[in-house]
Amino acid sequence: MPNQGRSGRNRALVNTATGEVHELLEQEDEGSPRRSYAFGGRHGQFSFERVLAMLAADSGITGNEFRLFFYCGIMTYNGKGGATAVEAAEYLGLTPQATRRMAKKLAEHKMLLVADVIGRTIKYRVTPHIVSSLSGREQSEEAAAYHLPTLPGRPAQRRRA
């Protein structure tokens, strides 16, 4: 007889091909609401390799630049299409001038892309090579339109023929 759990009863499933036994825990009350383990909000994927390279000591990226990068990344894929330096400065607690300098540096290395320009206001978004919330095919199509980002402290890697 299967063991009785604290909050329910167990049932066993048997894989007839392998003989493995899998026990399933069921709720005692049929009318009780099931617990949802789904996370709220949108989810994205990012490149472990490129983010680790950004975190390296010799990458030339400071902590505030990294914070700016991820703020723009979240605003990019949160339906806002990116963020301006002033919006980022207000949220991150930095000065707008410093945030503009950091955004310009990250844009020079193609980590941030210019999403929109209205007058002198520039809206930045993150390159799809590093952060994306698109499907694999959509991400590869969008990434193909942009050059790979480079790190400020490292020389650009050259392709060998």
Side-chain angles (χ1 to χ4, degrees), residues 145-156:
Y146 301 102
H147 295 289
L148 282 171
T150 60
L151 295 175
R154 297 181 179 172

Side-chain angles (χ1 to χ4, degrees), residues 133-144:
S133 67
L134 305 170
S135 70
R137 190 179 68 178
E138 292 170 331
Q139 181 182 2
S140 64
E141 289 171 0
E142 186 176 350

Side-chain angles (χ1 to χ4, degrees), residues 21-148:
V21 177
H22 301 280
E23 291 188 23
L24 303 173
L25 181 66
E26 292 183 357
Q27 297 281 340
E28 275 187 30
D29 301 329
E30 296 297 325
S32 67
R34 293 188 180 257
R35 188 176 291 167
S36 172
Y37 293 99
F39 296 111
R42 291 185 66 177
H43 293 78
Q45 58 268 4
F46 59 93
S47 167
F48 285 124
E49 178 185 338
R50 291 193 175 101
V51 172
L52 282 174
M54 289 172 68
L55 288 170
D58 65 343
S59 72
I61 298 174
T62 65
N64 283 335
E65 290 168 348
F66 199 74
R67 290 174 57 216
L68 171 65
F69 173 82
F70 270 103
Y71 178 78
C72 289
I74 290 168
M75 292 301 114
T76 298
Y77 298 105
N78 203 15
K80 298 190 180 191
T84 65
V86 173
E87 293 168 351
E90 289 173 4
Y91 189 83
L92 300 173
L94 303 169
T95 64
Q97 295 83 7
T99 309
R100 280 188 200 100
R101 279 194 307 272
M102 289 186 287
K104 185 177 178 183
K105 175 183 173 183
L106 294 173
E108 286 173 359
H109 293 279
K110 296 176 183 62
M111 297 160 122
L112 292 181
L113 305 171
V114 175
D116 196 15
V117 179
I118 301 170
R120 293 178 52 189
T121 304
I122 301 172
K123 185 180 256 189
Y124 294 98
R125 62 186 286 254
V126 172
T127 177
H129 289 284
I130 302 174
V131 178
S132 178
S133 67
L134 305 170
S135 70
R137 190 179 68 178
E138 292 170 331
Q139 181 182 2
S140 64
E141 289 171 0
E142 186 176 350
Y146 301 102
H147 295 289
L148 282 171

